[in-house]
Amino acid sequence: MENFSEIITWLFVVANTGRVLAYLPQIFAAWKCQNGAASVSRLTWGYFAVAHMTGVLYAAYIVHDTTMATVFFGNLLTCAALVAIVTWKKRSPSIAKAQNDPRVHGQ
């Protein structure tokens, strides 16, 4: 049964490390977006960040698993980075001006 636990542990590490990498295209798309990243939901990604924070806390303080805590922390950082970028884009004056420009929207 010990081998089965090790396999599950490695599956967790690989899958969730991959998830950190899977967030990167969304982060780059939001960074390059010219309309304030209007199609990215800060509520959704903020919730993901909070969920990952609970994973960090659970892993660190309940099951005392540093690997699990580190993986959740990586997911937390990437979600938080996306929320920060989108918030910055939505508050940027030049982007707000562009959102009201009909040429940006093809009108």
Side-chain angles (χ1 to χ4, degrees):
M1 193 57 116
E2 189 172 315
N3 285 340
F4 186 65
S5 295
E6 288 178 22
I7 291 169
I8 292 172
T9 300
W10 279 108
L11 286 173
F12 171 82
V13 170
V14 170
N16 283 282
T17 301
R19 185 171 24 166
V20 170
L21 299 174
Y23 293 146
L24 295 179
Q26 183 70 59
I27 291 170
F28 292 136
W31 183 263
K32 293 191 296 187
C33 187
Q34 298 299 313
N35 71 347
S39 63
V40 179
S41 169
R42 288 183 290 179
L43 177 63
T44 299
W45 287 93
Y47 183 80
F48 291 164
V50 169
H52 292 312
M53 174 56 80
T54 64
V56 170
L57 295 173
Y58 178 78
Y61 294 104
I62 304 302
V63 296
H64 307 286
D65 188 327
T66 306
T67 301
M68 181 187 285
T70 302
V71 169
F72 276 118
F73 187 69
N75 282 287
L76 167 64
L77 287 179
T78 52
C79 287
L82 180 60
V83 171
I85 289 167
V86 172
T87 299
W88 170 68
K89 290 279 191 166
K90 288 183 185 294
R91 292 185 182 193
S92 173
S94 62
I95 292 170
K97 183 179 176 184
Q99 286 178 330
N100 296 321
D101 187 342
R103 294 174 296 177
V104 173
H105 301 289
Q107 300 171 349

